Amino acid sequence: MAAMFSLFLVLITLGSGLIWLLDHFYLAPKRQEKLAFADGQTEGELPEEAKEKLVAEPWLVETSKSIFPVIAFVTILRSFLWEPFQIPSGSMMPTLLVGDFILVNKHEYGLRDPVFRHKFWDNELPSRGDVVVFKYPEDPRVDYIKRVIGLPGDKVVYRNKELFIQPKCEAGVEKCPELQRVNTAKVNSGQFKQDGTPLLRLKEDLLGVNHDTLINPRRGEPLRYYYQQPGRTTGEWVVPENHYFVMGDNRDNSTDGRFWGFVPEENLVGKATAIWISFEFERGADSILPGWIPTGVRFNRVGGIQ
């Protein structure tokens, strides 16, 4: 859907721009020639109404000239600077909630054209702990949002709901990093629930990046569904070059890299940087309002994303 909307914006921008140029350099001069010819064939001066009719812009030209500056600005802003996204699921709770509207920095990881996504300008690379929007590797038409856990060359292990990371061994170093357990500390329990089960909220220290996660203490670890990397045991992955390993903060309610593998660098859309508005959609069973109508605004959630 996002890709189709980008294509639509580009086509509307190009179409309205070409019509404006055609009118400026060809159609408008032709209308002036018709006015001059009619004026020369008439004794005295043409009535103002006749002049206005001869030089009047066609509807398509008038509309194109009106929308081109606006649509061009929106296309540039959305394609290369910032793009709004809505959080549709709870896979990134407690960091992001359903109803959060976020801003994604499109130039953080370089710039790509909005249609074919060819990269034409390099910038930064994702860092561990970044919350990123990317094209779902198994269906690039769909945008996903997760947190970067493993960088290229890292070893990631997730067993018994504990996370371990061994950073990439850089060439030329005398001693490679060891496999490190990602430390966690309990924040609370019961603030969030899944199918009636209180979720355990943990503060996670992702090798220097602190953020909160959720764990369902009653749900088993679905090892049989994990992505099996050739030559590795279940629940263990080594991130290939130019790829990233991502997970949702709501660890037991997230379809992420544990189940389908790695995110190629070319699939990155941008870095989620801020929540610009957040709507509540909670309502009672007897509510007559459609589900898409918000029931409130969570102003306390507006701000940066940790």
Side-chain angles (χ1 to χ4, degrees):
M1 183 63 71
M4 292 299 297
F5 186 65
S6 295
L7 178 61
F8 173 76
L9 278 179
V10 170
L11 291 177
I12 293 295
T13 302
L14 289 176
S16 59
L18 288 174
I19 291 173
W20 175 76
L21 288 174
L22 177 65
D23 181 73
H24 182 77
F25 290 106
Y26 181 74
L27 299 179
K30 285 292 185 181
R31 292 196 296 271
Q32 291 297 328
E33 290 178 7
K34 287 183 180 180
L35 175 61
F37 178 79
D39 196 33
Q41 297 296 313
T42 305
E43 293 183 4
E45 189 174 354
L46 279 173
E48 288 298 323
E49 184 178 348
K51 290 182 180 180
E52 291 178 2
K53 188 174 182 180
L54 286 171
V55 298
E57 297 174 342
W59 173 86
L60 184 60
V61 171
E62 184 179 4
T63 302
S64 298
K65 290 175 69 174
S66 299
I67 69 171
F68 175 71
V70 177
I71 203 73
F73 174 77
V74 171
T75 300
I76 292 172
L77 181 68
R78 186 181 181 276
S79 300
F80 306 121
L81 298 177
W82 304 89
E83 183 175 357
F85 280 87
Q86 179 185 0
I87 301 301
S89 72
S91 70
M92 281 298 293
M93 290 167 50
T95 305
L96 298 172
L97 306 182
V98 175
D100 285 350
F101 286 76
I102 63 173
L103 282 178
V104 173
N105 185 330
K106 298 291 289 286
H107 56 278
E108 179 75 14
Y109 305 135
L111 293 178
R112 300 178 183 275
D113 74 80
V115 178
F116 301 104
R117 293 191 47 78
H118 292 152
K119 195 172 187 178
F120 61 88
W121 182 70
D122 289 321
N123 196 9
E124 301 293 331
L125 293 174
S127 299
R128 194 187 326 278
D130 284 0
V131 178
V132 299
V133 172
F134 56 92
K135 300 295 180 183
Y136 179 37
E138 296 190 350
D139 186 357
R141 297 171 300 177
V142 180
D143 290 324
Y144 265 33
I145 181 167
K146 305 293 178 186
R147 188 180 298 273
V148 174
I149 302 297
L151 303 177
D154 287 355
K155 180 179 179 179
V156 179
V157 178
Y158 190 77
R159 292 187 185 134
N160 300 320
K161 302 193 179 183
E162 289 189 326
L163 179 63
F164 301 82
I165 298 175
Q166 182 178 20
K168 177 183 178 181
C169 184
E170 300 292 345
V173 300
E174 295 183 2
K175 185 178 180 181
C176 292
E178 297 180 353
L179 188 67
Q180 306 174 50
R181 179 182 180 275
V182 173
N183 294 320
T184 59
K186 180 179 177 180
V187 177
N188 57 46
S189 178
Q191 180 184 3
F192 297 95
K193 295 183 179 181
Q194 181 179 356
D195 299 328
T197 300
L199 300 181
L200 181 62
R201 183 169 183 167
L202 303 174
K203 176 71 70 176
E204 184 173 86
D205 182 1
L206 193 60
L207 305 191
V209 179
N210 293 301
H211 65 99
D212 287 2
T213 63
L214 295 177
I215 296 293
N216 187 335
R218 296 184 182 177
R219 186 171 182 179
E221 191 173 358
L223 294 174
R224 59 179 177 172
Y225 297 112
Y226 279 180
Y227 168 70
Q228 185 69 55
Q229 188 177 18
R232 299 288 167 182
T233 60
T234 302
E236 173 185 306
W237 307 272
V238 174
V239 187
E241 289 299 315
N242 301 315
H243 288 71
Y244 298 88
F245 186 82
V246 299
M247 293 172 64
D249 290 345
N250 190 354
R251 294 288 161 77
D252 293 312
N253 187 28
S254 174
T255 304
D256 50 41
R258 292 170 293 175
F259 303 95
W260 42 256
F262 310 100
V263 178
E265 190 273 337
E266 60 265 24
N267 283 41
L268 295 174
V269 173
K271 179 180 179 180
T273 58
I275 300 170
W276 60 273
I277 195 66
S278 180
F279 292 116
E280 287 182 344
F281 293 91
E282 299 177 2
R283 51 174 51 85
D286 57 346
S287 176
I288 62 173
L289 293 176
W292 56 268
I293 296 181
T295 56
V297 181
R298 297 178 290 224
F299 290 104
N300 61 312
R301 292 193 52 77
V302 175
I305 296 174
Q306 186 178 14

